[in-house]
Amino acid sequence: MASHYMMLLALLALTCSAAIASDPSSLQDFCVKDSNTSVFVNGFVCKDPKLAEANDFFFSGLHIPGNTSNPVGSRVTPVAVSQIPGLNTLGISLVRIDYAPWGINPPHTHPRATEILTVLEGTLEVGFVTSNPENHLIRKVLQKGDVFVFPVGLVHFQRNIGYGNAVAIAGLSSQNPGVITIANAVFGSTPNISPDILVKAFQVNKNVVLNVQSKF
Ligand SMILES: *[C@@H]1O[C@H](CO)[C@@H](O)[C@H](O)[C@H]1NC(C)=O
Ligand SMILES: *[C@@H]1O[C@H](CO)[C@@H](O)[C@H](O)[C@H]1NC(C)=O
């Protein structure tokens, strides 16, 4: 009987320790990032709440199109805790994404955030891939006003398939979502991942790996 009880307790403990999928919730109204302190915590130290002001919760500039003159033809303008110190501990942030015609936001993941994206202008092909072993591609074409969700941690992308510029706004469930661009992480790390590792991982010959590495 006692052992059954212990089993139940252990099961309960396991269930309750399930991963939290967004930033930890705040224990006070706000915690404006104090950029002065050298103390390092998970997030940032709060400045004295009595010194908080409107500008700590403010950003201006998302009306300005990002410069898409780059090899992928897109630009992400982030509005996260680095831009708005008042976002510290609040578990949310925003980006504007501009796409040149046929520009892409290359396959990437946000280790700390789910993303919800809406198209303001243009037509986007979007998709994400589920984890192993399925690696199922879930894709859709979005028009102006459509909304799509990229679950936390999954590799996703967007492509402008229209003939004009496209613009999207996305909310993310972290003050600091993080971005891992797959190509840059795998082929453009410093120092390089040894080509022999990538030869086996991608089942291609070494020249192909060296060629891709040379692009970064
Ligand atoms: C940051 O440090 C400067 C100079 O040491 C000081 O004048 C300022 O008040 C500090 N800001 C905050 C928010 O504590
Ligand atoms: C956009 O970026 C390109 C490449 O870095 C640069 O040459 C160009 O001047 C930029 N355009 C504007 C309007 O800033």
Side-chain angles (χ1 to χ4, degrees):
M1 198 60 197
S3 73
H4 278 113
Y5 187 63
M6 289 305 287
M7 282 265 282
L8 200 73
L9 272 182
L11 213 74
L12 212 70
L14 265 177
T15 324
C16 294
S17 65
I20 296 166
S22 61
D23 294 0
S25 55
S26 192
L27 301 175
Q28 59 265 312
D29 281 355
F30 54 78
C31 166
V32 176
K33 168 188 171 185
D34 177 359
S35 356
N36 264 359
T37 177
S38 57
V39 178
F40 200 80
V41 294
N42 189 19
F44 297 96
V45 169
C46 318
K47 85 175 198 185
D48 182 348
K50 290 194 288 295
L51 301 177
E53 49 183 289
N55 277 341
D56 290 329
F57 302 92
F58 174 77
F59 172 87
S60 176
L62 273 202
H63 59 297
I64 301 166
N67 185 345
T68 57
S69 302
N70 56 57
V72 293
S74 77
R75 173 74 62 182
V76 177
T77 307
V79 187
V81 71
S82 302
Q83 289 75 31
I84 302 187
L87 277 180
N88 191 35
T89 74
L90 296 185
I92 195 167
S93 58
L94 194 69
V95 295
R96 169 182 172 135
I97 314 170
D98 288 275
Y99 311 83
W102 300 99
I104 62 158
N105 187 7
H108 65 280
T109 89
H110 304 292
R112 293 178 289 279
T114 289
E115 173 173 347
I116 181 164
L117 175 144
T118 186
V119 180
L120 299 187
E121 275 319 321
T123 305
L124 293 181
E125 173 190 5
V126 303
F128 66 82
V129 179
T130 67
S131 52
N132 296 348
E134 290 81 11
N135 297 134
H136 177 208
L137 170 65
I138 294 181
R139 74 173 276 287
K140 192 159 177 70
V141 171
L142 305 182
Q143 309 291 347
K144 182 173 179 167
D146 291 351
V147 177
F148 198 79
V149 171
F150 305 106
V152 60
L154 300 188
V155 174
H156 60 281
F157 60 84
Q158 299 106 35
R159 173 163 70 153
N160 178 2
I161 56 172
Y163 288 92
N165 292 333
V167 184
I169 294 279
L172 295 119
S173 61
S174 170
Q175 68 178 39
N176 180 26
V179 186
I180 299 166
T181 302
I182 306 307
N184 300 54
V186 175
F187 291 101
S189 67
T190 317
N192 273 345
I193 297 177
S194 159
D196 299 329
I197 293 173
L198 300 178
V199 160
K200 277 199 179 161
F202 288 87
Q203 299 285 299
V204 292
N205 84 40
K206 196 161 178 172
N207 288 333
V208 174
V209 169
L210 293 174
N211 183 261
V212 180
Q213 281 181 330
S214 74
K215 312 264 185 217
F216 291 91

